[in-house]
């Protein structure tokens, strides 16, 4: 299994053949201690003289299965399954998985159906029956559909023996186009027998690209690679300021668990690695395979990882937390949800921040066989449907640690994957150990949509502010491009709610661009603070070539969201209750402005002068802002459109004292104020700006509402 940690052993020969009973006892002891390869050797010796011992044969078959020596497991499983004994029911299940690895889907179906019909004696019965449904679907799909695409050429290449040694090599992470970080034991067979267990540990290493060939460079610093501790799964944040990795140890239950650590790149250098806090790391579960992404809506950094903690869907699930850079705090861990996780294992996530796609490996989804790489678009726990990556990146064997090359993320045409496919450099017989492979995708269809946002200001709103409230708000000039406007891309699918795929800001010329997929229905939503957002529908159903769809320009009746409106709302000294006069001001100014902008979210703020303590003024201003908010809610404004905040004396707009130190009553009066400003949109109403367009270059029909 991919997530098992290999424990090397020293095997001793003997001139005197041990008695069968002792051999079986030694095999069972080695198995209980987790020493699988020693257990295999002892069972093999024992069964030479005791072929009729079905229990021992079943144990050896399972050991072959878990060490992925599938060819050796087959004759034993065939023998055991013919017995039709319920206590060996796992043999049918495991043998079916082996047949999937060899892509013998017809026979795999037969064994899965046997498991489904006669599940008595099956370990972890509930979860395995759920997985059997997925595997039967996978077998049927693979028998009736192709797992390759004719219009795409994919080349997969082993990185060679200088990188891939006899043990597992995995977890490639590109630092840049010429430096690769990865995990490896980097010992050959003789070295692993000669060295002590404290030296036989996986470590993080660097490789460099020279003349298009990856060659070994060095081991990472000893502050990361500690003696006697398995260290792996290294990743770097996009800005190069955070380095995450995992270390393994034995917990209080004598289980081997992994924990996630982080080191920060400060001005003085890299900090000493520290374990991420509870509950990210949990003494009762393993936490491994960190990956960094971003939240589509908030833009906050998200840490994804694999864990078998309570509350998951099965074995290892993908979990996540959001990171708040201002407070240096992580949110509470959440499960990525059932569109990602299955009753099986989901491991080795990688997040493409340009397309907001999560790549991960799973042995629970309907794939080709073993662990396959899948991807899903979204973030956090909100995802579109999960899609299988095609052959030959995936095979019937185990593929994991998919990652895109550093500079190639926008194109998604090169990267790395770990696999135990038969053509790699193996220490033991079978397919025990992963190698790192590079892949290149040719003739990859890349489509995009572009657009432009400009100002088509209707001055009526601004005229009303001037004439009725004597408030001057500068309007953007008609026809000017609008920079820094939020634009969202949604995918539409019949029978499902619209799915946010990505968001971006327009550049200084009002331009925006999104990557899209072929044969999809989309719309872009342009945020229009205060007024209805604008929506433009389009599709890419006949886009079969690398192409860019240009949408017609989108005009906004634009209000600058950073404009603050100051209002004359006065309170009695040291009080926060609205007076009748203050209520009249709210009714005739704030309420009318809010009703004129039905889609805006407003911040209501109150301020004080510097009389009194900082704490008192902060609390007083907070109560005053809350009082205005509560009054507006009573007058019919939805609470979701209002945010109240008190700033106390922290944001003066005039001096509280004159230069000579005397009191400045006029300045204090200006500072004791209330303000409103637009901070967001409720995003519930749209204005369609034209009919649906597609990529056939027909001129779209304009429809103005």
């Amino acid at each position: 299994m991919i997530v098992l940690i290999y424990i090397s052993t020293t095997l001793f020969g003997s001139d005197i053949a041990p008695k069968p009973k002792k051999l079986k006892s030694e095999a069972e002891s080695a198995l209980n201690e987790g020493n699988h390869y020693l257990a295999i050797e002892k069972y093999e010796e024992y069964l030479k003289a005791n072929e009729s011992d079905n229990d021992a044969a079943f144990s050896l078959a399972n050991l072959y299965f878990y060490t992925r020596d599938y060819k050796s497991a087959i004759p034993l499983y065939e023998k055991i399954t013919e017995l039709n004994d319920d206590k060996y029911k796992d043999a049918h299940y495991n043998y079916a998985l082996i047949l999937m690895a060899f892509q013998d889907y017809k026979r795999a179906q037969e064994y899965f159906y046997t498991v489904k019909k006669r599940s008595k004696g099956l370990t972890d019965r509930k979860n395995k029956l759920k997985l059997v449904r997925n595997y039967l679907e996978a077998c049927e799909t693979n028998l009736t559909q192709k797992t390759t695409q004719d219009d795409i050429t994919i080349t997969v290449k082993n990185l060679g023996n200088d990188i891939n040694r006899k043990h597992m090599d995995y977890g490639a992470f590109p630092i840049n186009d010429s430096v690769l970080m990865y995990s490896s034991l980097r010992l050959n067979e003789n070295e692993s027998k000669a060295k002590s267990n404290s030296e036989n540990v996986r470590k993080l290493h660097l490789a460099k690209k020279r003349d298009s060939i990856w060659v070994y460079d060095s081991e990472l610093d000893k502050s990361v690679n500690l003696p006697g501790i398995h260290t792996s799964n290294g990743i770097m944040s996009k800005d190069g300021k955070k380095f995450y990795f995992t270390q393994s140890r034995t917990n209080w239950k004598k289980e081997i668990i992994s924990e996630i650590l982080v080191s920060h790149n400060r001005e003085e250098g890299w900090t000493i690695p520290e374990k991420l806090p509870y509950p990210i790391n949990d003494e009762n579960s393993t936490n491994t395979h960190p990956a960094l992404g971003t939240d589509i809506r908030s833009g906050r950094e998200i840490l994804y990882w694999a864990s078998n903690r309570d509350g998951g869907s099965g074995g290892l699930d993908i979990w996540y937390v959001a990171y708040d850079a201002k407070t240096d705090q992580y949110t509470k861990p959440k499960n990525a949800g059932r569109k990602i996780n299955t009753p099986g294992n989901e491991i080795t996530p990688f997040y493409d921040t340009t397309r907001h796609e999560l790549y991960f490996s799973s042995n629970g989804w309907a794939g080709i066989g073993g662990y396959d790489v899948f991807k899903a678009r979204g973030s956090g726990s909100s995802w579109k449907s999960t899609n299988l990556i095609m052959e030959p990146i995936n095979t019937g064997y185990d593929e994991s640690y998919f990652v895109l090359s550093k500079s190639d993320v926008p194109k998604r045409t090169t990267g790395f994957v770990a696999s135990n496919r038969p053509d790699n450099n193996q220490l033991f017989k079978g397919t025990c150990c992963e190698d790192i492979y590079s892949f290149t995708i040719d003739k990859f269809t890349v489509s995009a949509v572009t657009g432009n946002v400009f100002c088509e200001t209707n001055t009526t709103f601004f005229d009303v502010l001037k004439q009725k409230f004597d408030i001057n708000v500068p309007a953007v000039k008609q026809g000017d491009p609008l920079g820094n406007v939020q634009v969202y891309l949604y995918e539409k699918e019949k029978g499902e709610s619209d799915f946010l795929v990505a968001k971006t800001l327009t550049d200084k010329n009002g331009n925006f661009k999104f990557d899209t997929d072929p044969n999809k229905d989309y719309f872009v939503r342009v945020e229009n603070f205060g007024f209805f957002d604008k929506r433009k529908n389009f599709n890419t159903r006949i886009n079969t070539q690398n192409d860019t769809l240009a949408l017609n320009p989108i005009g906004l009746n634009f209000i600058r969201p950073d404009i603050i409106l100051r209002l004359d709302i006065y309170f009695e000294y040291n009080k926060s209750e609205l007076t009748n006069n203050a209520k009249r001001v709210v009714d005739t100014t704030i309420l009318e402005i809010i009703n004129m902008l039905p889609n805006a979210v407003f911040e209501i703020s109150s301020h004080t002068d510097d009389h009194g303590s900082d704490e008192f003024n902060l609390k007083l201003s907070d109560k005053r802002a809350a009082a205005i908010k509560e009054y507006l809610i009573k007058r019919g404004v939805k609470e979701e459109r209002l945010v109240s905040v008190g700033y106390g004396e922290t944001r003066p707009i005039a001096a509280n004292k004159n230069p000579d130190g005397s009191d400045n009553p006029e300045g204090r009066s200006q500072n004791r104020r209330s303000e409103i400003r637009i901070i967001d949109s409720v995003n519930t109403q749209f204005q369609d700006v034209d009919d649906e367009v597609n990529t056939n270059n027909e001129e779209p029909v304009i429809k103005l509402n």
Side-chain angles (χ1 to χ4, degrees):
M1 225 175 151
I2 287 177
V3 294
L4 289 177
I5 296 176
Y6 166 71
I7 302 175
S8 61
T9 62
T10 302
L11 306 179
F12 299 94
S14 174
D15 294 333
I16 302 174
K19 294 180 180 180
K21 188 175 181 180
K22 183 180 180 181
L23 281 171
K24 187 175 183 180
S25 177
E26 289 174 344
E28 291 171 346
S29 296
L31 179 59
N32 291 332
E33 293 170 1
N35 197 334
H36 296 122
Y37 290 101
L38 180 59
I40 287 172
E41 180 180 297
K42 297 299 181 182
Y43 272 125
E44 285 176 337
E45 288 187 58
Y46 170 76
L47 284 169
K48 288 177 183 177
N50 297 270
E51 293 182 0
S52 61
D53 189 335
N54 294 322
D55 287 349
F58 182 53
S59 295
L60 180 57
N62 289 338
L63 281 165
Y64 285 143
F65 175 77
Y66 290 121
T67 57
R68 298 183 290 185
D69 183 1
Y70 298 144
K71 289 184 178 179
S72 297
I74 286 175
L76 291 173
Y77 277 139
E78 287 181 341
K79 172 187 174 182
I80 297 298
T81 54
E82 288 176 359
L83 299 174
N84 281 321
D85 190 328
D86 286 340
K87 71 176 181 177
Y88 304 132
K89 191 57 64 180
D90 280 354
H92 292 78
Y93 182 85
N94 293 347
Y95 189 26
L97 292 175
I98 290 175
L99 292 170
M100 282 191 70
F102 291 150
Q103 299 188 2
D104 188 349
Y105 299 113
K106 193 67 178 174
R107 291 186 66 207
Q109 275 183 325
E110 295 172 3
Y111 281 90
F112 281 132
Y113 276 123
T114 300
V115 174
K116 188 177 179 181
K117 292 176 182 177
R118 296 179 55 197
S119 59
K120 183 180 178 181
L122 189 67
T123 61
D124 194 17
R125 179 175 177 272
K126 185 177 179 180
N127 274 345
K128 283 184 177 176
L129 288 179
K130 291 178 182 177
L131 290 170
V132 164
R133 288 197 294 268
N134 290 352
Y135 296 149
L136 284 171
E137 176 190 338
C139 290
E140 186 61 31
T141 300
N142 287 303
L143 285 169
T144 58
Q145 299 179 19
K146 296 173 64 176
T147 57
T148 58
Q149 286 182 237
D150 293 334
D151 58 340
I152 296 178
T153 302
I154 302 176
T155 303
V156 178
K157 183 180 179 182
N158 191 296
L159 290 195
N161 292 346
D162 199 42
I163 304 300
N164 294 315
R165 306 300 285 265
K166 291 290 185 180
H167 294 267
M168 282 178 60
D169 303 280
Y170 57 97
F173 185 86
I175 303 298
N176 54 48
D177 289 342
S178 59
V179 179
L180 187 71
M181 178 169 54
Y182 71 103
S183 305
S184 176
L185 187 61
R186 284 200 66 79
L187 299 175
N188 61 35
E189 186 174 2
N190 292 328
E191 288 175 323
S192 64
K193 290 180 179 179
K195 292 194 174 185
S196 65
N197 284 336
S198 65
E199 295 176 281
N200 283 345
V201 293
R202 305 194 183 284
K203 299 179 181 180
L204 286 165
H205 302 268
L206 294 177
K208 290 188 176 180
K209 199 172 189 179
R210 296 173 185 163
D211 299 325
S212 301
I213 298 174
W214 288 100
V215 296
Y216 180 74
D217 181 72
S218 60
E219 180 182 312
L220 255 63
D221 190 88
K222 291 183 178 179
S223 64
V224 174
N225 289 317
L226 299 180
I229 296 178
H230 290 283
T231 303
S232 55
N233 302 310
I235 62 165
M236 195 81 71
S237 63
K238 195 173 182 180
D239 59 8
K241 294 183 178 180
K242 282 186 290 185
F243 170 54
Y244 293 88
F245 61 98
T246 63
Q247 289 180 343
S248 299
R249 65 176 178 84
T250 302
N251 69 358
W252 65 278
K253 294 187 288 186
K254 296 184 179 181
E255 297 172 336
I256 296 177
I257 63 170
S258 292
E259 297 174 309
I260 304 173
L261 292 86
V262 64
S263 176
H264 297 269
N265 191 0
R266 313 289 194 197
E267 289 184 3
E268 62 275 14
W270 286 97
T271 62
I272 297 174
E274 296 180 341
K275 294 178 184 179
L276 292 183
Y278 174 86
I280 296 175
N281 285 316
D282 182 353
E283 183 68 20
N284 297 306
S285 63
T286 195
N287 297 279
T288 186
H289 308 154
L292 291 175
T294 54
D295 183 86
I296 295 178
R297 294 185 181 277
S298 68
R300 286 195 299 176
E301 182 179 273
I302 292 182
L303 172 69
Y304 297 94
W305 77 100
S307 177
N308 62 350
R309 63 184 58 214
D310 290 342
S313 297
L316 287 160
D317 276 8
I318 305 296
W319 293 75
Y320 73 96
V321 291
Y323 174 71
D324 189 330
K326 292 181 180 179
T327 62
D328 192 28
Q329 297 290 320
Y330 296 92
T331 60
K332 183 180 178 181
K334 291 184 179 181
N335 192 282
R338 293 187 177 181
K339 288 194 174 180
I340 300 295
N341 296 313
T342 70
N345 292 317
E346 280 68 46
I347 59 173
T348 63
F350 166 75
Y351 195 84
D352 175 359
T353 56
T354 61
R355 287 177 57 86
H356 297 287
E357 288 180 328
L358 179 73
Y359 293 84
F360 62 97
S361 290
S362 172
N363 67 356
W365 286 100
I368 299 172
Y371 281 88
D372 287 311
V373 181
F374 295 82
K375 70 174 181 178
R377 208 163 193 185
S379 65
S381 56
S382 178
W383 305 95
K384 288 293 287 182
S385 56
T386 297
N387 297 304
L388 175 70
I389 303 300
M390 306 302 282
E391 290 187 284
I393 292 177
N394 280 320
T395 67
Y397 292 86
D398 293 326
E399 280 72 44
S400 58
Y401 291 99
F402 178 99
V403 62
L404 295 171
S405 297
K406 187 76 172 179
S407 65
D408 194 54
V409 170
K411 297 179 181 178
R412 297 169 301 284
T413 57
T414 63
F416 302 90
V417 67
S419 177
N420 71 327
R421 59 192 67 188
D423 64 345
N424 66 6
N425 186 15
Q426 299 286 341
L427 174 63
F428 301 100
K429 61 180 180 177
T431 51
C432 70
C433 306
E434 271 73 17
D435 275 1
I436 300 171
Y437 292 78
S438 64
F439 65 82
T440 303
I441 304 175
D442 298 321
K443 298 180 181 179
F444 189 81
T445 300
V446 179
S447 58
V449 61
T450 62
N452 179 268
V453 181
F454 70 96
C455 179
E456 56 174 16
T457 300
N458 180 341
T459 61
T460 302
F461 172 75
F462 303 98
D463 293 341
V464 170
L465 288 180
K466 173 62 179 173
Q467 295 168 11
K468 190 168 184 178
F469 307 117
D470 196 25
I471 298 174
N472 285 307
V473 177
V476 181
K477 186 178 178 182
Q478 175 77 22
D480 279 358
L482 296 176
N484 210 39
V485 173
Q486 195 77 65
V487 186
Y488 303 84
L489 175 68
Y490 289 84
E491 184 179 332
K492 298 190 296 181
E493 193 167 325
K494 190 174 181 180
E496 293 189 16
S497 57
D498 299 328
F499 185 82
L500 176 62
V501 173
K503 71 174 185 177
T504 189
L505 292 171
T506 56
D507 63 20
K508 64 180 181 180
N509 297 315
N511 297 320
F512 64 87
K513 181 179 180 179
F514 290 110
D515 290 331
T516 57
D517 291 326
N519 303 311
K520 299 286 186 181
D521 292 296
Y522 293 101
F523 69 86
V524 293
R525 176 171 67 83
V526 182
E527 193 168 73
N528 193 15
F529 280 102
F531 299 104
F532 292 146
D533 290 356
K534 296 294 182 75
R535 181 175 69 178
K536 188 182 286 283
N537 299 293
F538 68 97
N539 70 70
T540 57
R541 282 190 292 272
I542 59 173
N543 185 19
T544 57
Q545 302 297 322
N546 293 356
D547 200 6
T548 299
L549 168 65
L551 301 177
N552 284 350
I554 300 171
L556 296 185
N557 191 11
F558 186 70
I559 299 176
R560 292 177 59 87
D562 56 347
I563 291 174
I564 297 174
L565 304 180
R566 296 192 175 98
L567 303 165
D568 296 327
I569 300 175
Y570 297 103
F571 293 84
E572 293 183 5
Y573 182 71
N574 281 354
K575 293 186 177 181
S576 59
E577 294 80 13
L578 286 174
T579 64
N580 290 333
N581 183 59
K583 291 178 181 178
R584 281 193 296 271
V585 175
V586 173
D587 287 339
T588 57
T589 55
I590 297 181
L591 187 59
E592 289 196 31
I593 292 171
I594 288 175
N595 289 335
M596 290 173 66
L597 301 171
N599 209 33
V601 176
F602 292 88
E603 178 193 87
I604 301 165
S605 61
S606 286
H607 307 258
T608 68
D609 60 21
D610 64 353
H611 276 316
S613 68
D614 294 351
E615 183 180 0
F616 176 82
N617 286 330
L618 200 61
K619 289 181 178 178
L620 178 62
S621 62
D622 198 54
K623 289 179 180 179
R624 287 175 172 178
I628 299 172
K629 175 184 173 181
E630 291 302 317
Y631 181 74
L632 287 168
I633 292 172
K634 290 179 181 178
R635 298 287 286 155
V637 181
K638 292 183 178 180
E639 186 175 1
E640 66 178 356
R641 298 185 59 205
L642 302 172
V643 175
S644 65
V645 60
Y647 291 105
E649 60 188 75
T650 61
R651 297 187 178 186
I653 58 173
N656 289 301
K657 294 182 179 180
N658 294 312
D660 61 3
S662 61
D663 195 60
N664 181 12
E666 185 178 343
R668 291 188 183 281
S669 177
Q670 292 181 52
N671 290 331
R672 294 191 300 268
R673 69 196 188 277
S674 295
E675 299 172 340
I676 63 169
R677 67 186 181 100
I678 302 169
I679 59 171
D680 204 350
S681 295
V682 291
N683 302 329
T684 57
Q685 301 183 72
F686 302 100
Q687 180 183 20
D688 287 321
V689 293
D690 64 25
D691 283 339
E692 186 171 293
V693 296
N694 54 39
T695 56
N696 59 5
N697 296 321
E698 293 178 356
E699 188 66 26
V701 178
I702 303 297
K703 180 179 70 177
L704 298 177
N705 292 338

